[in-house]
Amino acid sequence: MAVMSRSSFSTRLTLLALLSASTFYFFYKSRRLKRLKHSLNPSLNTNRGKIFFISQTGTSKTLAHRLLNLLHSQNLHFDLIDPKQYEPEDLPKETLVLIVASTWEDGKPPPDARFFADWLAESAADFRVGSLLLSRLRFAVFGVGSRAYGEAYNAVAQEFSRRLKELGGKEMVGVGEGDVDRGDLDRVFEEWSTKVVGVLEGGRGVVENGAVLGNGVDENDNDSAYGWETDDEEEENGGESEVVDLEDIAGKAPSRKSSSMAETNGRINGKRDMVTPVIRTSLEKQGYKIIGSHSGVKICRWTKSQLRGRGGCYKHSFYGIESHRCMEATPSLACANKCVFCWRHHTNPVGKSWQWKMDDPLEIVNSAIDQHLKMIKQMKGVPGVTLERLNEGLSPRHCALSLVGEPIMYPEINTLVDELHSRRISTFLVTNAQFPEKIRMLKPITQLYVSVDAATKDSLKAIDRPLFGDFWERFIDSLKALKEKQQRTVYRLTLVKGWNTEDIEAYFNLFSIGKPDFVEIKGVTYCGSSATSKLTMENVPWHSDVKAFSETLAIKSEGEYEVACEHVHSCCVLLAKTAKFKVNGQWFTWIDYDKFHDLVASGKTFNSNDYMAATPLWAVYGAEEGGFDPDQSRYRKERHHKSSS
């Protein structure tokens, strides 16, 4: 066996050392180049930052899009994530997460984020998981909520922050809290976003108690500025995966600059505009004309229909309203409920009291009429619209104060009503039965409605989803206030199959409280799918269902009320007080509008009997016309269905 000399052994050690150093050097350079490659092209990095949106009506999703664009403009690359498409088990792999979270009913997250929220809560409460599960994670949370909900205000955002910290996550900036109903959402979100960008660009890490703490990251090391790992699997191309929001209720969000300007200009004596830029964009997208800072007007499809000679709405059949001369408006887009059948899908603000800047009632009326006339003029040249009907439409005689929100909340509602009456424009006002004191102070209205959406406390809470804790007491007190009114009063019942159609006895018991002149019973209108409502076409009753319900109520009243009118097209039936509105066998549910205005102008006390008019036979319940005016031309769309083989 050959023996290696000391010199040969030394030479070999030297060669091995040089080889090892060379190998290590090339390995290091290769690794460094790989890391540099990822830092220069973050789209190759599969472990990019994530922006989660916890959204119900689309507001949080819109803000998340805005944040994504802001970060991209600063060369900070993130992916937008829908929590319902994300596996929470992957969260420990993340190093940077931003969350924009809405709070929904009872302080809970929207349905799409329930699983994600439950996973966080269960993991934080599980002793086997430990507080180091998310030790690699840096995060920040922004909440979208409404102070009108009291203790539940931004509860979801606060909960996410607490759970992430319990699991070892490091919070970069404190929880941002935006109020969708106070007009400062855009400004607060901009301030929070600026803080986030500042932390990310500076690599400063965590903010605790207002102080910026270092995170041990070398700010000169580009590949670790986000805290990303640089394992071999990062070679894969992780291209951007922005979520495209095709049904974003807010449409294209206003720029940050314009939002700030709107916020600054939208304050008078500390009061904010009710309509924020996001809400304005959303409502305008739905066809509303926004007036000032809190009012709106919109042309009704029945206005268009009667302009074309194709029939009016149920108010035409029941009360003689000329639909083509009717303006649908509201002086308050805010409401105190979030009803499951809301036509507006909760894109309007909510509140329990008036907390916004207030516009002049005369300006509201003038602007509403001006905007309404512009929409009427657009009907010129439409098939069926004659010059005579167009000219009539340009002289509105009725105003339905029931467009959206709660008109009675507007502090100057009496002045606004007086202004309409002075122009001989009648008023049909609808209130959601949460402001009894406002009903009592209200001046004579042509016809005053109270929405009676349910007959029991539990079902009213489930359907109307009211803000007030004492909603039931307010509801009952509103019915009592209605009883004190001398002019025409109405209970409006919206039947939702499977929700409130079984409580006939309970509904009848409410009759004795408010003693309304009329009871309108209408099947709920299905307004399409919405994240804010669980209703489907299965919840829409047939006209035969509404008729059966109405007839049963009339029978229970033992003659006090009878079924007087119907409008088949609207799936609507009218009960009327027999002794008051049935004279010698003929119904008098229609209104003498000229007589009403004369009575208002006289300043004398008057009641509903003083301005009633005879109901035409075609509008009476059971008539062959089904409530369709024979002077109009019935029009049915041709529906072409593919034949099945």
Side-chain angles (χ1 to χ4, degrees):
M1 180 177 180
V3 179
M4 184 181 297
S5 67
R6 182 180 296 273
S7 59
S8 298
F9 180 71
S10 176
T11 301
R12 293 194 64 177
L13 282 177
T14 301
L15 289 172
L16 284 171
L18 289 172
L19 181 61
S20 297
S22 176
T23 302
F24 175 78
Y25 173 77
F26 284 113
F27 171 78
Y28 171 79
K29 288 295 290 183
S30 175
R31 183 70 164 173
R32 184 68 179 172
L33 285 170
K34 182 195 295 183
R35 296 170 73 182
L36 182 60
K37 180 182 178 183
H38 283 285
S39 69
L40 294 176
N41 188 2
S43 67
L44 297 177
N45 201 319
T46 58
N47 197 18
R48 294 146 58 92
K50 303 293 193 299
I51 301 176
F52 289 81
F53 59 85
I54 312 299
S55 191
Q56 183 68 20
T57 63
T59 302
S60 291
K61 194 172 183 180
T62 299
L63 294 176
H65 272 289
R66 195 185 305 176
L67 177 60
L68 181 72
N69 293 334
L70 172 63
L71 292 167
H72 282 187
S73 72
Q74 302 298 317
N75 203 29
L76 299 170
H77 296 276
F78 282 74
D79 291 325
L80 202 58
I81 304 296
D82 186 339
K84 72 178 180 181
Q85 298 173 347
Y86 183 82
E87 175 53 63
E89 295 288 346
D90 291 336
L91 199 58
K93 302 176 184 177
E94 307 292 354
T95 57
L96 187 56
V97 164
L98 306 176
I99 300 176
V100 184
S102 293
T103 298
W104 194 231
E105 296 176 27
D106 301 320
K108 302 295 183 184
D112 286 349
R114 293 282 169 84
F115 181 74
F116 184 79
D118 289 345
W119 183 89
L120 280 178
E122 291 167 4
S123 298
D126 192 338
F127 72 93
R128 296 167 298 179
V129 175
S131 60
L132 297 178
L133 180 69
L134 304 181
S135 59
R136 301 171 61 220
L137 178 69
R138 293 190 293 154
F139 72 92
V141 183
F142 184 86
V144 179
S146 171
R147 282 190 175 85
Y149 283 95
E151 294 181 357
Y153 175 59
N154 278 321
V156 170
Q158 295 289 351
E159 176 77 358
F160 277 137
S161 172
R162 183 165 64 87
R163 296 302 187 190
L164 291 170
K165 284 188 285 189
E166 288 174 349
L167 291 168
K170 303 299 187 297
E171 192 167 43
M172 295 186 295
V173 301
V175 176
E177 295 191 81
D179 188 338
V180 295
D181 297 315
R182 292 189 60 183
D184 62 353
L185 177 62
D186 292 302
R187 176 183 60 79
V188 175
F189 183 70
E190 180 180 357
E191 292 174 353
W192 179 85
S193 300
T194 301
K195 290 179 182 178
V196 170
V197 171
V199 172
L200 294 177
E201 286 187 327
R204 293 174 294 177
V206 185
V207 175
E208 291 183 4
N209 299 323
V212 181
L213 306 181
N215 62 355
V217 175
D218 179 0
E219 295 182 13
N220 295 318
D221 193 358
N222 293 331
D223 55 294
S224 60
Y226 295 149
W228 287 331
E229 293 296 319
T230 52
D231 292 333
D232 289 341
E233 60 266 21
E234 292 177 2
E235 288 282 4
E236 298 178 14
N237 188 334
E240 273 184 45
S241 59
E242 281 194 36
V243 177
V244 179
D245 183 8
L246 297 178
E247 297 179 344
D248 183 0
I249 64 151
K252 184 178 179 181
S255 68
R256 298 191 298 140
K257 182 177 180 180
S258 63
S259 297
S260 297
M261 290 295 293
E263 174 63 22
T264 301
N265 297 333
R267 293 171 181 264
I268 291 183
N269 297 327
K271 297 289 186 179
R272 299 177 175 87
D273 287 354
M274 177 189 292
V275 181
T276 66
V278 170
I279 293 173
R280 179 181 293 272
T281 304
S282 170
L283 291 174
E284 287 178 345
K285 185 177 178 180
Q286 297 175 53
Y288 292 86
K289 304 298 181 183
I290 306 303
I291 300 167
S293 64
H294 55 73
S295 307
V297 65
K298 185 180 182 183
I299 191 168
C300 174
R301 74 180 184 92
W302 287 110
T303 299
K304 297 177 182 178
S305 177
Q306 196 156 5
L307 276 171
R308 303 180 71 182
R310 293 181 175 181
C313 72
Y314 69 91
K315 292 193 290 291
H316 173 61
S317 301
F318 295 175
Y319 316 117
I321 282 283
E322 296 173 281
S323 299
H324 66 304
R325 305 183 73 178
C326 183
M327 176 176 69
E328 199 173 15
T330 181
S332 172
L333 290 159
C335 188
N337 293 340
K338 284 185 174 286
C339 303
V340 297
F341 51 76
C342 178
W343 292 7
R344 323 305 168 194
H345 298 318
H346 311 289
T347 51
N348 57 303
V350 294
K352 294 190 288 188
S353 62
W354 192 270
Q355 53 190 304
W356 305 278
K357 169 181 141 182
M358 189 173 67
D359 297 331
D360 181 75
L362 178 59
E363 291 180 5
I364 293 173
V365 172
N366 286 336
S367 297
I369 293 175
D370 182 57
Q371 292 291 342
H372 176 75
L373 296 186
K374 287 180 180 178
M375 291 184 282
I376 294 293
K377 289 176 182 177
Q378 291 174 1
M379 294 294 293
K380 184 178 181 180
V382 173
V385 178
T386 64
L387 183 60
E388 179 185 5
R389 275 196 291 265
L390 185 67
N391 287 331
E392 288 177 343
L394 292 173
S395 177
R397 292 198 59 198
H398 316 286
C399 181
L401 293 166
S402 59
L403 177 64
V404 65
E406 178 58 86
I408 209 169
M409 283 181 70
Y410 176 51
E412 293 293 331
I413 185 64
N414 277 328
T415 306
L416 184 138
V417 167
D418 284 345
E419 184 61 34
L420 288 168
H421 289 168
S422 70
R423 305 180 191 213
R424 300 184 77 81
I425 297 175
S426 68
T427 50
F428 278 37
L429 188 147
V430 181
T431 174
N432 290 316
Q434 290 296 291
F435 298 94
E437 71 285 353
K438 297 283 189 181
I439 295 176
R440 289 191 170 93
M441 62 165 278
L442 198 61
K443 287 187 175 182
I445 299 293
T446 311
Q447 189 154 285
L448 179 60
Y449 288 76
V450 164
S451 293
V452 181
D453 299 325
T456 65
K457 183 176 182 178
D458 289 341
S459 58
L460 188 69
K461 181 178 182 180
I463 291 175
D464 278 4
R465 298 189 291 209
L467 271 63
F468 286 107
D470 60 342
F471 66 92
W472 183 249
E473 291 75 16
R474 287 174 170 272
F475 174 72
I476 296 299
D477 201 20
S478 294
L479 300 187
K480 293 177 180 178
L482 196 74
K483 184 180 178 180
E484 300 167 9
K485 293 297 178 182
Q486 298 299 308
Q487 289 71 46
R488 292 163 65 108
T489 57
V490 186
Y491 277 9
R492 171 179 281 180
L493 276 61
T494 300
L495 299 186
V496 186
K497 207 169 183 178
W499 288 69
N500 63 359
T501 55
E502 308 300 324
D503 302 321
I504 293 181
E505 188 70 36
Y507 274 115
F508 175 70
N509 292 335
L510 295 179
F511 283 17
S512 61
I513 299 176
K515 294 286 185 181
D517 289 327
F518 304 99
V519 180
E520 282 182 10
I521 305 169
K522 187 179 186 299
V524 68
T525 301
Y526 180 63
C527 301
S529 59
S530 166
T532 61
S533 176
K534 302 173 184 176
L535 299 187
T536 68
M537 282 300 296
E538 295 296 322
N539 300 113
V540 180
W542 295 97
H543 185 60
S544 57
D545 298 326
V546 176
K547 288 173 63 176
F549 185 94
S550 305
E551 289 169 358
T552 302
L553 272 178
I555 292 171
K556 281 192 171 294
S557 75
E558 297 181 345
E560 184 179 3
Y561 292 89
E562 288 185 28
V563 186
C565 304
E566 68 178 322
H567 191 253
V568 177
H569 188 107
S570 297
C571 195
C572 192
V573 171
L574 179 71
L575 300 185
K577 271 191 173 180
T578 310
K580 205 169 186 179
F581 297 99
K582 196 172 188 180
V583 182
N584 298 324
Q586 183 178 2
W587 284 109
F588 281 74
T589 67
W590 275 37
I591 296 172
D592 185 333
Y593 294 99
D594 288 332
K595 184 70 177 293
F596 170 79
H597 292 303
D598 290 342
L599 289 167
V600 170
S602 73
K604 298 177 181 178
T605 301
F606 63 98
N607 59 44
S608 54
N609 290 101
D610 294 329
Y611 57 101
M612 64 183 189
T615 309
L617 293 179
W618 57 263
V620 173
Y621 187 69
E624 181 182 354
E625 293 86 352
F628 185 86
D629 188 343
D631 289 337
Q632 301 284 299
S633 299
R634 192 180 293 272
Y635 176 81
R636 292 186 175 89
K637 290 183 179 180
E638 292 185 15
R639 302 186 184 276
H640 302 285
H641 301 281
K642 293 180 180 180
S643 58
S644 57
S645 57

